[in-house]
Amino acid sequence: MLYDKRKVVLVGTGLVGMSYAYCLLNRSACDELVLIDIDKKRAEGEAMDLNHGLAFASSHMKIYAGDYEDCRDADMVTICAGVAQKPGETRLDLLKRNAEVFRSIVEPVTASGFNGIFLVATNPVDIMTRITYALSGFNAGRVLGSGTALDTARLRYLLGEYLNVDPRNVHAYVMGEHGDSEFVPWSQAFLATKPILELCDGSTDVCIDKMNEIAREVKGAAYKIIEAKKATYYGIGMALTRITKAVLGDENSILTVSAMLKGEYGQKDVFVGAPCIVNRSGVKRVMEISLNEAERKQMAESCRILRESYDELG
Ligand code: NAD
């Protein structure tokens, strides 16, 4: 910890940001929480609302609407700010607008003297994390995105339901882009210490079909939720809290965050979802797991797509 209190600054107090803030409070994950939004009144209202729950919380937390100078002595700055796609707007135009939003955030954060860890949730999260890295000039390990942490949680939940076991005993990951090219390396998926592909009833083919169906469901989950209720926010709020706890608690936890690859899986200079050891220094290490040939190709394809999107920004 940089200082004696665990201080988090949240930028972007929309649905995702406030689900995160609410979860931080309920899990006593920090001691001080600063809320920043371009709509200052909104941040103030959210701070009031959360403060009114303090009497029911399990520990005290200092919560207030602040500004970028408050980042000076913060341990983490978490960015959930972003603009929504306008009708008819291309993916690239949206990306350009969000890059401008990030410039207006990351520059004043670093100008404050901030010396902690950046955590990014805004989509497309792998690209926005790389933009944060470029704008901040920080060492890559100190910039991480939520990556495929939420997708991995969805996978573990669905596998837990199918196998009828606690998802916390399922050890399987979603890797790659947080998006359409993400994939599940089934060769490295385990229930306790047993390979999941050995567990299905019937033949291996039936098993692979079922597992691929689960992977498709994970990939389509956000689309389904957005169709039903316009946005997703509780799951990501919990995923961000989990990552925050790993950083502030110096936990050395393995989480599938978006991190810069430096030769792992034969890839470099790209931020992508992969199992990483996360602690007070941010990404301490990208854990290179043993992918088979087909899975390495899927990782390479995800990285190619992400590099192309980033390069398109110019
Ligand atoms: P939202 O519209 O509810 O909130 C966005 C907030 O950002 C608003 O309060 C807005 O005022 C603020 N904002 C915009 N420009 C700003 C600026 N320049 N400075 C400060 N604040 C600014 O959106 P949301 O539903 O909370 O989603 C936020 C982002 O999280 C989106 O990009 C969404 O796609 C992403 N998301 C990511 C995941 C994931 O797994 N990584 C999951 C769900 C959503």
Side-chain angles (χ1 to χ4, degrees), residues 11-17 37-39 42 68 80-83 101 104-105 121-123 125 146 150 178 231-232 236:
V11 185
T13 57
L15 291 168
V16 169
D37 198 284
I38 196 163
D39 180 350
R42 177 178 193 159
Y68 289 108
C80 301
V83 285
V101 166
S104 76
I105 294 169
T122 307
N123 275 323
V125 71
S146 55
L150 174 59
H178 169 63
T232 82
I236 181 64

